[in-house]
Amino acid sequence: MKVSQVAAKAVVRVFFIMLLMALIPYLQGNNTKLEHLYLMPKNVWSLAFPILLILGFVVLLVICSIKKYSKQDLNWLLVVNTLVLIVYAIILYIRIYQLTK
């Protein structure tokens, strides 16, 4: 059970650190390229997966925090969800970087 606790906490911390690092260019104030950047999906239903992924992350994070990471299966679900969310965020960051280049 200890391994799942450490893994869940580590992956969540890595995700939040990556999120803060991605916000640095926006917070620096030099965001003239980002002002006119619009990401429009071809189909509105393609946003269903990212929304479910983010909602699942928030719900699992709250549940694991309330239970103090004592449930091993919830910890592993949080790890998998966060890893998929990290991959999705990296892909989105690369796409935005290509558009602003």
Coordinates of all heavy atoms in Angstrom, one line a residue:
M1 N 0.8 -1.2 0.0 CA 0.0 0.0 0.0 C 0.9 1.3 0.0 O 0.5 2.3 -0.5 CB -0.9 0.0 1.2 CG -1.9 1.1 1.2 SD -3.1 1.3 2.5 CE -3.1 -0.2 3.4
K2 N 2.0 1.2 0.6 CA 2.9 2.3 0.6 C 3.4 2.8 -0.7 O 3.5 4.0 -1.0 CB 4.1 1.9 1.5 CG 5.0 3.1 1.8 CD 4.4 3.9 2.9 CE 5.5 4.9 3.4 NZ 4.9 5.9 4.2
V3 N 3.6 1.8 -1.7 CA 4.0 2.2 -3.0 C 3.0 3.0 -3.7 O 3.3 4.0 -4.4 CB 4.4 0.9 -3.8 CG1 4.7 1.2 -5.2 CG2 5.5 0.2 -3.1
S4 N 1.7 2.6 -3.6 CA 0.6 3.4 -4.3 C 0.5 4.8 -3.7 O 0.2 5.7 -4.4 CB -0.7 2.6 -4.1 OG -1.2 2.6 -2.8
Q5 N 0.7 4.9 -2.4 CA 0.6 6.3 -1.8 C 1.7 7.2 -2.3 O 1.5 8.3 -2.7 CB 0.8 6.2 -0.3 CG -0.4 5.6 0.5 CD -0.1 5.5 2.0 OE1 1.1 5.5 2.4 NE2 -1.2 5.4 2.7
V6 N 2.9 6.7 -2.4 CA 4.1 7.4 -2.9 C 3.9 7.8 -4.4 O 4.2 8.9 -4.8 CB 5.4 6.7 -2.6 CG1 6.6 7.4 -3.3 CG2 5.7 6.5 -1.1
A7 N 3.4 6.8 -5.1 CA 3.3 7.0 -6.6 C 2.2 8.0 -6.8 O 2.4 8.9 -7.7 CB 2.9 5.7 -7.2
A8 N 1.1 8.0 -6.1 CA 0.0 8.9 -6.3 C 0.4 10.3 -5.9 O 0.2 11.3 -6.7 CB -1.2 8.5 -5.5
K9 N 1.1 10.5 -4.8 CA 1.5 11.8 -4.4 C 2.6 12.4 -5.4 O 2.6 13.6 -5.7 CB 2.1 11.7 -3.0 CG 1.0 11.5 -1.9 CD 1.6 11.4 -0.5 CE 0.6 11.2 0.5 NZ 1.2 11.0 1.9
A10 N 3.5 11.5 -5.8 CA 4.5 12.0 -6.7 C 4.0 12.4 -8.1 O 4.4 13.5 -8.6 CB 5.6 10.9 -6.9
V11 N 3.1 11.6 -8.6 CA 2.5 12.0 -9.9 C 1.7 13.2 -9.9 O 1.7 14.1 -10.8 CB 1.7 10.8 -10.5 CG1 0.9 11.1 -11.7 CG2 2.6 9.6 -10.8
V12 N 0.9 13.4 -8.8 CA 0.1 14.6 -8.6 C 1.0 15.8 -8.5 O 0.8 16.9 -9.1 CB -0.8 14.5 -7.4 CG1 -1.5 15.8 -7.1 CG2 -1.9 13.5 -7.7
R13 N 2.1 15.7 -7.8 CA 3.1 16.8 -7.6 C 3.7 17.2 -8.9 O 3.9 18.4 -9.3 CB 4.1 16.5 -6.5 CG 3.5 16.5 -5.2 CD 4.5 16.2 -4.1 NE 3.8 16.1 -2.8 CZ 4.3 15.5 -1.8 NH1 5.4 14.8 -1.8 NH2 3.6 15.5 -0.6
V14 N 4.1 16.1 -9.7 CA 4.7 16.4 -11.0 C 3.7 17.1 -11.9 O 4.1 18.0 -12.6 CB 5.2 15.1 -11.6 CG1 5.5 15.2 -13.1 CG2 6.4 14.5 -10.9
F15 N 2.5 16.7 -11.9 CA 1.5 17.4 -12.7 C 1.3 18.8 -12.3 O 1.3 19.7 -13.2 CB 0.1 16.7 -12.6 CG -1.0 17.4 -13.3 CD1 -1.1 17.4 -14.7 CD2 -2.0 18.1 -12.6 CE1 -2.1 18.1 -15.3 CE2 -3.0 18.7 -13.2 CZ -3.0 18.7 -14.6
F16 N 1.2 19.1 -11.0 CA 1.1 20.5 -10.6 C 2.3 21.4 -10.9 O 2.2 22.5 -11.3 CB 0.7 20.6 -9.1 CG -0.7 20.3 -8.8 CD1 -1.1 19.4 -7.9 CD2 -1.7 20.9 -9.6 CE1 -2.4 19.1 -7.6 CE2 -3.1 20.6 -9.3 CZ -3.4 19.7 -8.3
I17 N 3.5 20.8 -10.8 CA 4.7 21.5 -11.2 C 4.7 21.8 -12.7 O 5.1 22.9 -13.1 CB 6.0 20.7 -10.7 CG1 6.1 20.7 -9.2 CG2 7.2 21.2 -11.4 CD1 7.2 19.8 -8.7
M18 N 4.3 20.8 -13.5 CA 4.3 21.1 -14.9 C 3.2 22.1 -15.3 O 3.4 22.9 -16.2 CB 3.9 19.7 -15.6 CG 5.1 18.8 -15.7 SD 4.7 17.3 -16.5 CE 4.1 17.8 -18.1
L19 N 2.1 22.1 -14.5 CA 1.1 23.1 -14.8 C 1.6 24.5 -14.4 O 1.4 25.5 -15.2 CB -0.1 22.8 -13.9 CG -1.4 23.5 -14.2 CD1 -1.9 23.2 -15.6 CD2 -2.5 23.2 -13.2
L20 N 2.3 24.6 -13.3 CA 2.9 25.9 -13.0 C 4.0 26.4 -14.0 O 4.1 27.6 -14.3 CB 3.5 25.9 -11.6 CG 2.5 25.8 -10.4 CD1 3.2 25.6 -9.1 CD2 1.7 27.1 -10.4
M21 N 4.8 25.4 -14.5 CA 5.8 25.8 -15.5 C 5.2 26.2 -16.8 O 5.7 27.1 -17.5 CB 6.7 24.6 -15.7 CG 7.7 24.4 -14.6 SD 8.7 22.9 -14.7 CE 9.2 22.9 -16.4
A22 N 4.0 25.6 -17.1 CA 3.3 26.0 -18.4 C 2.7 27.4 -18.2 O 2.5 28.1 -19.2 CB 2.3 25.0 -18.7
L23 N 2.4 27.8 -17.0 CA 1.8 29.2 -16.8 C 2.8 30.3 -16.8 O 2.4 31.5 -16.8 CB 1.0 29.1 -15.5 CG -0.3 28.4 -15.6 CD1 -1.0 28.4 -14.2 CD2 -1.3 28.9 -16.6
I24 N 4.1 30.0 -16.6 CA 5.1 31.0 -16.5 C 5.1 32.0 -17.7 O 5.1 33.2 -17.5 CB 6.5 30.3 -16.3 CG1 6.6 29.8 -14.9 CG2 7.6 31.4 -16.5 CD1 7.8 29.0 -14.6
P25 N 5.1 31.5 -19.0 CA 5.1 32.5 -20.1 C 3.8 33.4 -20.0 O 3.9 34.6 -20.4 CB 5.0 31.6 -21.3 CG 5.6 30.3 -20.9 CD 5.2 30.2 -19.5
Y26 N 2.7 32.9 -19.6 CA 1.5 33.7 -19.5 C 1.6 34.7 -18.4 O 1.2 35.9 -18.5 CB 0.3 32.8 -19.3 CG -1.0 33.6 -19.3 CD1 -1.5 34.1 -20.5 CD2 -1.7 33.8 -18.1 CE1 -2.7 34.8 -20.5 CE2 -2.9 34.5 -18.1 CZ -3.4 35.0 -19.3 OH -4.5 35.8 -19.3
L27 N 2.2 34.4 -17.3 CA 2.3 35.2 -16.1 C 3.4 36.3 -16.3 O 3.4 37.3 -15.5 CB 2.5 34.4 -14.8 CG 1.4 33.5 -14.4 CD1 1.8 32.7 -13.2 CD2 0.1 34.3 -14.1
Q28 N 4.3 36.1 -17.2 CA 5.4 37.1 -17.4 C 4.9 38.4 -18.0 O 5.6 39.4 -17.9 CB 6.5 36.5 -18.2 CG 7.3 35.5 -17.5 CD 8.4 34.9 -18.4 OE1 8.4 35.0 -19.6 NE2 9.4 34.3 -17.8
G29 N 3.7 38.3 -18.6 CA 3.2 39.5 -19.2 C 3.4 39.7 -20.7 O 2.8 40.5 -21.3
N30 N 4.3 39.0 -21.2 CA 4.6 39.1 -22.7 C 3.8 38.0 -23.4 O 4.2 37.0 -23.9 CB 6.1 38.8 -22.9 CG 6.5 39.1 -24.4 OD1 5.7 39.6 -25.1 ND2 7.7 38.7 -24.7
N31 N 2.5 38.3 -23.5 CA 1.6 37.3 -24.1 C 0.8 37.9 -25.3 O -0.3 37.6 -25.5 CB 0.6 36.8 -23.1 CG -0.2 37.9 -22.4 OD1 0.0 39.1 -22.7 ND2 -1.1 37.6 -21.5
T32 N 1.5 38.7 -26.1 CA 0.9 39.2 -27.3 C 0.6 38.1 -28.3 O -0.4 38.2 -29.1 CB 1.8 40.3 -28.0 OG1 3.1 39.6 -28.3 CG2 2.0 41.5 -27.1
K33 N 1.4 37.1 -28.4 CA 1.1 36.0 -29.3 C -0.1 35.2 -28.8 O -0.8 34.6 -29.6 CB 2.3 35.0 -29.4 CG 3.5 35.7 -30.2 CD 4.6 34.7 -30.3 CE 5.8 35.3 -31.0 NZ 6.9 34.3 -31.0
L34 N -0.3 35.1 -27.5 CA -1.4 34.3 -27.0 C -2.7 35.0 -27.1 O -3.8 34.4 -26.9 CB -1.1 33.9 -25.5 CG 0.1 33.0 -25.3 CD1 0.3 32.8 -23.8 CD2 -0.1 31.7 -26.0
E35 N -2.7 36.3 -27.3 CA -4.0 37.1 -27.3 C -4.9 36.7 -28.5 O -6.1 36.7 -28.4 CB -3.7 38.6 -27.4 CG -3.2 39.2 -26.1 CD -2.9 40.7 -26.2 OE1 -3.1 41.2 -27.3 OE2 -2.5 41.2 -25.2
H36 N -4.3 36.4 -29.6 CA -5.0 36.1 -30.8 C -4.9 34.6 -31.2 O -5.0 34.2 -32.3 CB -4.5 36.9 -32.0 CG -4.6 38.4 -31.7 ND1 -5.8 39.0 -31.6 CD2 -3.6 39.3 -31.5 CE1 -5.5 40.3 -31.4 NE2 -4.2 40.5 -31.2
L37 N -4.8 33.8 -30.2 CA -4.7 32.3 -30.4 C -6.1 31.7 -30.0 O -6.6 31.9 -28.9 CB -3.6 31.7 -29.5 CG -3.5 30.2 -29.6 CD1 -2.9 29.9 -31.0 CD2 -2.6 29.7 -28.5
Y38 N -6.7 31.1 -31.0 CA -8.0 30.5 -30.7 C -7.9 29.0 -31.1 O -7.6 28.7 -32.3 CB -9.1 31.2 -31.5 CG -9.2 32.6 -31.2 CD1 -8.7 33.6 -32.1 CD2 -9.8 33.1 -30.1 CE1 -8.8 34.9 -31.8 CE2 -9.9 34.4 -29.7 CZ -9.4 35.3 -30.6 OH -9.5 36.6 -30.3
L39 N -8.3 28.1 -30.2 CA -8.3 26.7 -30.5 C -9.8 26.3 -30.6 O -10.5 26.2 -29.6 CB -7.6 25.9 -29.3 CG -6.2 26.2 -29.1 CD1 -5.7 25.5 -27.9 CD2 -5.4 25.8 -30.3
M40 N -10.2 26.0 -31.8 CA -11.6 25.6 -32.1 C -11.5 24.1 -32.6 O -11.0 23.8 -33.6 CB -12.2 26.5 -33.1 CG -12.4 27.9 -32.7 SD -13.6 28.0 -31.4 CE -15.1 27.4 -32.1
P41 N -12.2 23.2 -31.8 CA -12.3 21.9 -32.3 C -13.2 21.8 -33.5 O -14.2 22.5 -33.6 CB -12.8 21.1 -31.1 CG -13.6 22.1 -30.3 CD -12.9 23.4 -30.5
K42 N -13.0 20.8 -34.3 CA -13.9 20.6 -35.5 C -15.2 20.0 -35.0 O -16.2 20.3 -35.7 CB -13.2 19.6 -36.5 CG -11.9 20.2 -37.1 CD -11.3 19.2 -38.0 CE -10.0 19.8 -38.6 NZ -9.3 18.9 -39.5
N43 N -15.2 19.3 -34.0 CA -16.5 18.8 -33.4 C -16.5 19.0 -31.9 O -15.5 18.8 -31.2 CB -16.5 17.2 -33.7 CG -17.9 16.7 -33.4 OD1 -18.7 17.3 -32.9 ND2 -18.0 15.4 -33.8
V44 N -17.6 19.5 -31.5 CA -17.8 19.8 -30.0 C -17.6 18.6 -29.2 O -17.1 18.7 -28.0 CB -19.1 20.5 -29.8 CG1 -19.3 20.9 -28.3 CG2 -19.2 21.8 -30.6
W45 N -18.0 17.5 -29.7 CA -17.9 16.2 -28.9 C -16.5 15.8 -28.6 O -16.3 14.9 -27.8 CB -18.7 15.1 -29.5 CG -20.2 15.3 -29.4 CD1 -21.1 15.8 -30.3 CD2 -21.0 15.1 -28.2 NE1 -22.3 15.9 -29.8 CE2 -22.3 15.5 -28.5 CE3 -20.7 14.7 -26.9 CZ2 -23.3 15.4 -27.6 CZ3 -21.7 14.6 -26.0 CH2 -23.0 14.9 -26.3
S46 N -15.6 16.3 -29.4 CA -14.2 16.0 -29.1 C -13.6 16.6 -27.8 O -12.6 16.2 -27.3 CB -13.3 16.4 -30.3 OG -13.3 17.8 -30.4
L47 N -14.4 17.5 -27.2 CA -14.0 18.0 -25.9 C -14.5 17.2 -24.7 O -14.2 17.5 -23.6 CB -14.6 19.5 -25.8 CG -14.0 20.5 -26.7 CD1 -14.7 21.8 -26.5 CD2 -12.5 20.6 -26.5
A48 N -15.3 16.2 -25.0 CA -15.9 15.3 -24.0 C -14.8 14.6 -23.2 O -14.8 14.5 -22.0 CB -16.9 14.4 -24.5
F49 N -13.8 14.0 -23.9 CA -12.8 13.2 -23.3 C -11.9 14.1 -22.3 O -11.7 13.8 -21.2 CB -11.9 12.5 -24.3 CG -10.8 11.8 -23.7 CD1 -11.0 10.7 -22.9 CD2 -9.5 12.2 -23.8 CE1 -9.9 10.0 -22.3 CE2 -8.4 11.5 -23.3 CZ -8.7 10.4 -22.5
P50 N -11.4 15.3 -22.8 CA -10.6 16.1 -21.9 C -11.4 16.6 -20.7 O -10.9 16.6 -19.6 CB -10.2 17.3 -22.7 CG -10.3 16.9 -24.1 CD -11.4 15.8 -24.2
I51 N -12.7 16.9 -20.9 CA -13.5 17.3 -19.7 C -13.7 16.2 -18.7 O -13.6 16.4 -17.5 CB -14.9 17.9 -20.2 CG1 -14.7 19.2 -21.0 CG2 -15.9 18.0 -19.1 CD1 -15.9 19.7 -21.7
L52 N -14.0 15.0 -19.2 CA -14.1 13.8 -18.3 C -12.8 13.5 -17.6 O -12.8 13.1 -16.5 CB -14.6 12.6 -19.1 CG -16.1 12.6 -19.5 CD1 -16.4 11.4 -20.4 CD2 -16.9 12.6 -18.3
L53 N -11.7 13.7 -18.3 CA -10.4 13.4 -17.8 C -10.1 14.4 -16.6 O -9.6 14.0 -15.6 CB -9.3 13.5 -18.9 CG -7.9 13.0 -18.6 CD1 -8.0 11.5 -18.3 CD2 -7.1 13.3 -19.8
I54 N -10.4 15.7 -16.8 CA -10.1 16.7 -15.8 C -11.1 16.5 -14.6 O -10.6 16.6 -13.5 CB -10.2 18.1 -16.4 CG1 -9.1 18.3 -17.4 CG2 -10.2 19.1 -15.3 CD1 -9.2 19.5 -18.2
L55 N -12.3 16.2 -14.9 CA -13.3 16.0 -13.8 C -12.9 14.7 -13.0 O -13.0 14.7 -11.8 CB -14.7 15.9 -14.4 CG -15.4 17.1 -14.8 CD1 -16.7 16.9 -15.4 CD2 -15.5 18.1 -13.7
G56 N -12.5 13.7 -13.7 CA -12.0 12.5 -13.0 C -10.8 12.7 -12.1 O -10.7 12.2 -11.0
F57 N -9.9 13.6 -12.6 CA -8.7 13.9 -11.8 C -9.1 14.6 -10.6 O -8.6 14.3 -9.5 CB -7.8 14.7 -12.7 CG -6.6 15.3 -11.9 CD1 -5.6 14.5 -11.5 CD2 -6.6 16.7 -11.5 CE1 -4.5 15.1 -10.7 CE2 -5.6 17.2 -10.8 CZ -4.5 16.4 -10.4
V58 N -10.0 15.6 -10.7 CA -10.4 16.4 -9.5 C -11.1 15.5 -8.5 O -10.9 15.6 -7.3 CB -11.3 17.6 -10.0 CG1 -11.9 18.3 -8.8 CG2 -10.5 18.6 -10.8
V59 N -12.1 14.7 -9.0 CA -12.8 13.8 -8.1 C -11.9 12.8 -7.4 O -12.0 12.6 -6.2 CB -13.9 13.1 -8.9 CG1 -14.5 12.0 -8.0 CG2 -15.0 14.1 -9.3
L60 N -11.0 12.2 -8.2 CA -10.1 11.2 -7.6 C -9.1 11.9 -6.6 O -8.8 11.4 -5.5 CB -9.3 10.5 -8.6 CG -10.0 9.4 -9.4 CD1 -9.2 8.9 -10.5 CD2 -10.4 8.2 -8.4
L61 N -8.7 13.1 -6.9 CA -7.8 13.8 -6.0 C -8.5 14.2 -4.7 O -7.9 14.0 -3.6 CB -7.2 15.1 -6.7 CG -6.2 15.9 -5.9 CD1 -4.9 15.1 -5.7 CD2 -5.9 17.2 -6.6
V62 N -9.7 14.6 -4.8 CA -10.5 15.0 -3.6 C -10.7 13.7 -2.7 O -10.5 13.7 -1.5 CB -11.8 15.7 -4.0 CG1 -12.7 15.8 -2.8 CG2 -11.5 17.1 -4.5
I63 N -11.1 12.6 -3.4 CA -11.4 11.4 -2.6 C -10.2 10.9 -2.0 O -10.2 10.5 -0.8 CB -12.1 10.3 -3.6 CG1 -13.5 10.8 -4.0 CG2 -12.1 9.0 -2.9 CD1 -14.1 9.9 -5.0
C64 N -9.1 10.8 -2.7 CA -7.8 10.3 -2.2 C -7.3 11.2 -1.0 O -6.8 10.7 0.0 CB -6.8 10.2 -3.2 SG -7.0 8.8 -4.3
S65 N -7.5 12.5 -1.2 CA -7.1 13.4 -0.1 C -7.9 13.2 1.1 O -7.4 13.3 2.3 CB -7.2 14.9 -0.6 OG -6.3 15.1 -1.6
I66 N -9.2 13.1 1.0 CA -10.1 12.9 2.1 C -9.8 11.6 2.8 O -9.7 11.5 4.1 CB -11.6 12.9 1.7 CG1 -12.0 14.3 1.3 CG2 -12.5 12.4 2.8 CD1 -13.3 14.5 0.7
K67 N -9.5 10.5 2.1 CA -9.2 9.2 2.7 C -7.7 9.1 3.0 O -7.3 8.0 3.4 CB -9.6 8.1 1.7 CG -11.1 8.1 1.5 CD -11.6 6.9 0.8 CE -13.1 6.9 0.6 NZ -13.8 6.4 1.7
K68 N -7.0 10.2 2.8 CA -5.5 10.2 3.1 C -4.7 9.1 2.4 O -3.8 8.5 3.0 CB -5.3 10.2 4.7 CG -5.9 11.4 5.3 CD -5.7 11.4 6.8 CE -6.4 12.6 7.4 NZ -6.4 12.7 8.8
Y69 N -5.1 8.9 1.2 CA -4.3 8.0 0.3 C -4.3 6.6 0.9 O -3.3 5.8 0.8 CB -2.9 8.5 0.0 CG -2.9 9.8 -0.8 CD1 -2.8 11.0 -0.1 CD2 -3.0 9.7 -2.2 CE1 -2.8 12.2 -0.9 CE2 -3.0 10.9 -2.9 CZ -2.9 12.1 -2.2 OH -2.9 13.3 -2.9
S70 N -5.3 6.1 1.6 CA -5.3 4.8 2.3 C -5.9 3.7 1.4 O -5.7 2.6 1.7 CB -6.1 4.9 3.6 OG -7.5 5.2 3.3
K71 N -6.6 4.1 0.4 CA -7.2 3.1 -0.5 C -6.3 2.9 -1.7 O -6.1 3.8 -2.5 CB -8.6 3.6 -1.0 CG -9.6 3.8 0.1 CD -10.1 2.5 0.7 CE -11.1 2.8 1.7 NZ -11.5 1.6 2.4
Q72 N -5.8 1.7 -1.8 CA -4.8 1.4 -2.8 C -5.4 1.5 -4.3 O -4.7 2.0 -5.2 CB -4.2 0.0 -2.6 CG -3.1 -0.4 -3.5 CD -2.5 -1.7 -3.1 OE1 -2.9 -2.4 -2.3 NE2 -1.4 -2.0 -3.8
D73 N -6.6 1.0 -4.5 CA -7.2 1.0 -5.8 C -7.5 2.4 -6.3 O -7.3 2.8 -7.4 CB -8.4 0.2 -5.9 CG -9.5 0.6 -4.9 OD1 -9.1 1.3 -3.9 OD2 -10.6 0.1 -5.0
L74 N -7.9 3.3 -5.4 CA -8.1 4.7 -5.7 C -6.8 5.4 -6.0 O -6.7 6.3 -6.9 CB -8.9 5.4 -4.6 CG -10.3 5.1 -4.4 CD1 -10.9 5.8 -3.2 CD2 -11.1 5.4 -5.7
N75 N -5.8 5.0 -5.3 CA -4.4 5.6 -5.6 C -3.9 5.3 -7.0 O -3.4 6.1 -7.7 CB -3.4 5.2 -4.5 CG -3.7 5.7 -3.2 OD1 -4.4 6.7 -3.0 ND2 -3.1 5.1 -2.2
W76 N -4.1 4.0 -7.4 CA -3.6 3.6 -8.7 C -4.5 4.2 -9.8 O -4.0 4.6 -10.9 CB -3.6 2.1 -8.8 CG -2.4 1.5 -8.1 CD1 -2.5 0.6 -7.0 CD2 -1.1 1.8 -8.2 NE1 -1.3 0.4 -6.6 CE2 -0.3 1.0 -7.3 CE3 -0.3 2.6 -9.1 CZ2 1.0 1.1 -7.2 CZ3 1.1 2.6 -9.0 CH2 1.7 1.9 -8.1
L77 N -5.8 4.4 -9.5 CA -6.7 5.1 -10.5 C -6.2 6.5 -10.7 O -6.2 7.1 -11.8 CB -8.1 5.0 -10.0 CG -8.9 3.8 -10.3 CD1 -10.3 3.8 -9.7 CD2 -9.0 3.5 -11.8
L78 N -5.9 7.2 -9.6 CA -5.4 8.5 -9.6 C -4.1 8.6 -10.4 O -3.8 9.5 -11.2 CB -5.2 9.1 -8.2 CG -4.7 10.5 -8.1 CD1 -5.7 11.5 -8.8 CD2 -4.4 10.9 -6.7
V79 N -3.2 7.6 -10.2 CA -1.9 7.6 -10.9 C -2.1 7.5 -12.4 O -1.6 8.3 -13.2 CB -1.0 6.5 -10.4 CG1 0.2 6.2 -11.3 CG2 -0.5 6.7 -9.0
V80 N -3.0 6.6 -12.8 CA -3.2 6.4 -14.3 C -3.9 7.6 -14.9 O -3.5 8.1 -15.9 CB -4.1 5.1 -14.5 CG1 -4.6 5.0 -15.9 CG2 -3.3 3.9 -14.1
N81 N -4.9 8.1 -14.2 CA -5.6 9.3 -14.6 C -4.7 10.5 -14.8 O -4.7 11.2 -15.8 CB -6.8 9.7 -13.7 CG -7.7 10.7 -14.2 OD1 -7.2 11.7 -14.9 ND2 -8.9 10.6 -14.0
T82 N -3.8 10.7 -13.8 CA -2.9 11.8 -13.9 C -1.8 11.6 -15.0 O -1.5 12.6 -15.6 CB -2.2 12.0 -12.5 OG1 -3.2 12.0 -11.5 CG2 -1.4 13.2 -12.4
L83 N -1.4 10.4 -15.2 CA -0.4 10.2 -16.3 C -1.0 10.5 -17.6 O -0.4 11.1 -18.5 CB 0.1 8.7 -16.2 CG 1.1 8.5 -15.1 CD1 1.5 7.0 -15.1 CD2 2.4 9.3 -15.2
V84 N -2.3 10.1 -17.8 CA -2.9 10.4 -19.1 C -3.2 11.9 -19.2 O -3.0 12.4 -20.3 CB -4.3 9.6 -19.2 CG1 -5.1 10.0 -20.4 CG2 -4.0 8.1 -19.2
L85 N -3.5 12.5 -18.1 CA -3.7 14.0 -18.1 C -2.4 14.7 -18.4 O -2.3 15.7 -19.2 CB -4.2 14.4 -16.8 CG -4.8 15.8 -16.7 CD1 -5.9 16.1 -17.7 CD2 -5.2 16.1 -15.3
I86 N -1.2 14.2 -17.9 CA 0.1 14.8 -18.2 C 0.4 14.6 -19.7 O 0.9 15.6 -20.3 CB 1.2 14.1 -17.3 CG1 1.0 14.6 -15.9 CG2 2.6 14.4 -17.9 CD1 2.0 13.9 -14.9
V87 N 0.1 13.5 -20.3 CA 0.4 13.3 -21.7 C -0.5 14.2 -22.5 O 0.0 14.8 -23.5 CB 0.2 11.8 -22.1 CG1 0.2 11.6 -23.6 CG2 1.2 10.9 -21.4
Y88 N -1.7 14.3 -22.2 CA -2.6 15.2 -22.9 C -2.2 16.7 -22.8 O -2.2 17.4 -23.7 CB -4.1 15.1 -22.3 CG -5.1 15.8 -23.1 CD1 -5.5 15.3 -24.4 CD2 -5.6 17.0 -22.7 CE1 -6.4 16.0 -25.1 CE2 -6.5 17.7 -23.5 CZ -6.9 17.2 -24.7 OH -7.8 17.9 -25.4
A89 N -1.7 17.1 -21.6 CA -1.2 18.4 -21.4 C 0.0 18.7 -22.2 O 0.2 19.8 -22.8 CB -1.0 18.7 -19.9
I90 N 0.9 17.7 -22.3 CA 2.1 17.9 -23.1 C 1.8 18.0 -24.6 O 2.3 18.9 -25.3 CB 3.1 16.7 -22.9 CG1 3.7 16.8 -21.5 CG2 4.2 16.7 -23.9 CD1 4.5 15.5 -21.1
I91 N 0.8 17.2 -25.1 CA 0.4 17.3 -26.5 C -0.2 18.7 -26.7 O 0.0 19.3 -27.8 CB -0.6 16.2 -26.8 CG1 0.2 14.9 -26.8 CG2 -1.2 16.4 -28.1 CD1 -0.7 13.7 -26.9
L92 N -1.1 19.2 -25.8 CA -1.7 20.5 -26.0 C -0.6 21.6 -25.9 O -0.7 22.5 -26.7 CB -2.7 20.7 -24.9 CG -3.6 22.0 -25.0 CD1 -4.4 21.9 -26.2 CD2 -4.4 22.1 -23.7
Y93 N 0.3 21.5 -25.0 CA 1.4 22.5 -25.0 C 2.2 22.5 -26.2 O 2.6 23.6 -26.7 CB 2.3 22.2 -23.8 CG 3.3 23.2 -23.5 CD1 3.0 24.4 -22.9 CD2 4.7 23.0 -23.9 CE1 4.0 25.4 -22.7 CE2 5.6 24.0 -23.7 CZ 5.3 25.2 -23.1 OH 6.2 26.2 -22.9
I94 N 2.5 21.4 -26.8 CA 3.3 21.3 -28.1 C 2.5 21.9 -29.2 O 3.0 22.7 -30.0 CB 3.7 19.8 -28.4 CG1 4.7 19.4 -27.4 CG2 4.2 19.7 -29.8 CD1 5.0 17.9 -27.5
R95 N 1.2 21.7 -29.2 CA 0.3 22.3 -30.3 C 0.3 23.8 -30.1 O 0.4 24.5 -31.1 CB -1.1 21.7 -30.2 CG -2.0 22.2 -31.2 CD -1.7 21.8 -32.6 NE -2.7 22.3 -33.5 CZ -2.4 22.7 -34.7 NH1 -1.2 22.6 -35.2 NH2 -3.4 23.1 -35.5
I96 N 0.1 24.3 -28.9 CA 0.1 25.8 -28.8 C 1.4 26.4 -29.1 O 1.5 27.4 -29.7 CB -0.4 26.1 -27.3 CG1 -1.8 25.7 -27.1 CG2 -0.1 27.6 -27.0 CD1 -2.3 25.9 -25.7
Y97 N 2.5 25.7 -28.7 CA 3.9 26.2 -29.1 C 4.1 26.3 -30.6 O 4.7 27.2 -31.1 CB 4.9 25.3 -28.4 CG 6.3 25.7 -28.7 CD1 6.9 26.8 -28.0 CD2 7.1 25.0 -29.6 CE1 8.1 27.2 -28.3 CE2 8.4 25.5 -29.8 CZ 8.9 26.6 -29.2 OH 10.2 27.0 -29.4
Q98 N 3.6 25.3 -31.3 CA 3.7 25.3 -32.8 C 2.9 26.5 -33.4 O 3.3 27.1 -34.3 CB 3.2 24.0 -33.4 CG 4.2 22.9 -33.1 CD 3.6 21.5 -33.6 OE1 2.4 21.4 -34.0 NE2 4.4 20.5 -33.6
L99 N 1.7 26.8 -32.8 CA 0.9 27.8 -33.3 C 1.5 29.2 -33.0 O 1.2 30.2 -33.8 CB -0.5 27.7 -32.7 CG -1.4 26.6 -33.2 CD1 -2.7 26.5 -32.5 CD2 -1.6 26.7 -34.7
T100 N 2.2 29.4 -31.9 CA 2.8 30.6 -31.6 C 4.2 30.9 -32.1 O 4.7 31.9 -31.9 CB 2.8 30.8 -30.0 OG1 3.6 29.8 -29.4 CG2 1.4 30.9 -29.5
K101 N 4.8 29.9 -32.7 CA 6.1 30.0 -33.2 C 6.3 30.9 -34.4 O 5.5 31.1 -35.2 CB 6.6 28.6 -33.5 CG 8.1 28.4 -33.6 CD 8.4 26.9 -33.8 CE 9.8 26.7 -33.8 NZ 10.2 25.4 -34.0

